[in-house]
């Protein structure tokens, strides 16, 4: 995932008001990374895994 090597791209995109979308994240570690960097959309073949990780992320922040 190129954005892992260039985290400044995420900051720059957010500063420009762009929405962040990742294609196609199917591994748990990639999904967790995208969620931790506040991506707006995650395209995946594993939607149930994204929902599970999203729930786990929101529970850990409470």
């Amino acid at each position: 995932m190129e954005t892992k090597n260039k985290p400044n791209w995420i900051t720059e995109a957010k500063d420009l008001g762009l929405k962040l979308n990742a294609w196609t994240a199917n591994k748990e570690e990639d999904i967790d990374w995208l969620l931790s960097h506040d991506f707006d959309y995650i395209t995946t073949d594993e939607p149930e895994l994204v929902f599970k990780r999203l729930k786990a992320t929101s529970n850990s922040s409470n």
Side-chain angles (χ1 to χ4, degrees):
M1 198 178 308
E2 187 67 30
T3 52
K4 285 184 177 180
N5 298 326
K6 309 237 184 195
N8 60 309
W9 287 1
I10 296 170
T11 304
E12 290 173 12
K14 287 181 180 182
D15 288 347
L16 291 170
L18 299 175
K19 296 286 183 182
L20 301 177
N21 184 19
W23 294 73
T24 298
N26 293 322
K27 295 181 191 172
E28 187 170 323
E29 60 268 16
D30 291 336
I31 293 167
D32 286 346
W33 188 88
L34 294 167
L35 291 173
S36 72
H37 287 83
D38 299 322
F39 271 62
D40 299 291
Y41 307 100
I42 299 173
T43 302
T44 182
D45 295 326
E46 303 291 338
E48 293 298 324
L49 178 57
V50 175
F51 288 130
K52 175 183 163 191
R53 300 311 304 152
L54 186 57
K55 184 177 179 180
T57 302
S58 66
N59 286 341
S60 67
S61 66
N62 290 333

